């Protein structure tokens, strides 16, 4: 019985692991990201609004890249650091 419970727990974890990147989860993560202007307000030491330069708040790299969130026609874009690959903020594509 004890080992059955352990197996069940492991299976349960596996299921959650594979659900970790469902569409809902990606949406939620994106929702929680700051916008560009919020990022500048939150991390003024890593951005210069006057010069429109934004740096990574983790490694201070100015090599910021962006990509559509889910697919090429997704207007939601996530911006991430090209150096340390961490997601920094979000924006909407102008289409
Ligand atoms: Zn970085």
């Amino acid at each position: 019985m004890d080992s059955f419970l352990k197996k069940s727990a492991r299976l349960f974890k596996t299921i959650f692991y594979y659900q970790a990147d469902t569409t809902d989860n990606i949406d939620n993560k994106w929702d929680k990201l700051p916008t560009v202007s919020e990022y500048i307000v939150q991390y003024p030491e890593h951005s210069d609004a006057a010069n429109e330069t934004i740096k990574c708040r983790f490694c201070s790299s100015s090599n910021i890249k962006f990509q559509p969130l889910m697919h090429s026609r997704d207007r939601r874009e996530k911006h991430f650091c090209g150096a340390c690959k961490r997601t920094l903020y979000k924006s909407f594509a102008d289409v």
Side-chain angles (χ1 to χ4, degrees):
M1 190 64 190
D2 190 43
S3 94
F4 172 76
L5 282 176
K6 276 182 189 163
K7 275 182 192 163
S8 303
R10 204 174 302 147
L11 181 66
F12 207 62
K13 274 185 199 163
T14 309
I15 291 166
F16 270 98
Y17 177 77
Y18 282 113
Q19 283 185 339
D21 265 326
T22 60
T23 311
D24 279 354
N25 222 305
I26 292 170
D27 284 350
N28 288 342
K29 276 186 199 163
W30 192 83
D31 282 342
K32 283 177 189 154
L33 285 174
T35 62
V36 184
S37 43
E38 285 166 352
Y39 183 86
I40 292 171
V41 171
Q42 282 176 32
Y43 311 103
E45 69 277 20
H46 294 299
S47 50
D48 186 342
N51 291 325
E52 293 185 355
T53 53
I54 296 177
K55 290 180 179 174
C56 172
R57 67 187 166 98
F58 300 104
C59 72
S60 296
S61 166
S62 56
N63 181 18
I64 310 293
K65 298 177 183 302
F66 69 94
Q67 66 179 45
L69 187 64
M70 300 287 285
H71 50 78
S72 60
R73 286 166 59 209
D74 198 331
R75 290 187 57 214
R76 297 170 300 174
E77 293 172 335
K78 68 171 184 180
H79 297 246
F80 61 97
C81 173
C84 71
K85 313 292 184 206
R86 287 196 242 197
T87 307
L88 302 173
Y89 54 89
K90 65 183 176 183
S91 70
F92 276 104
D94 302 316
V95 179

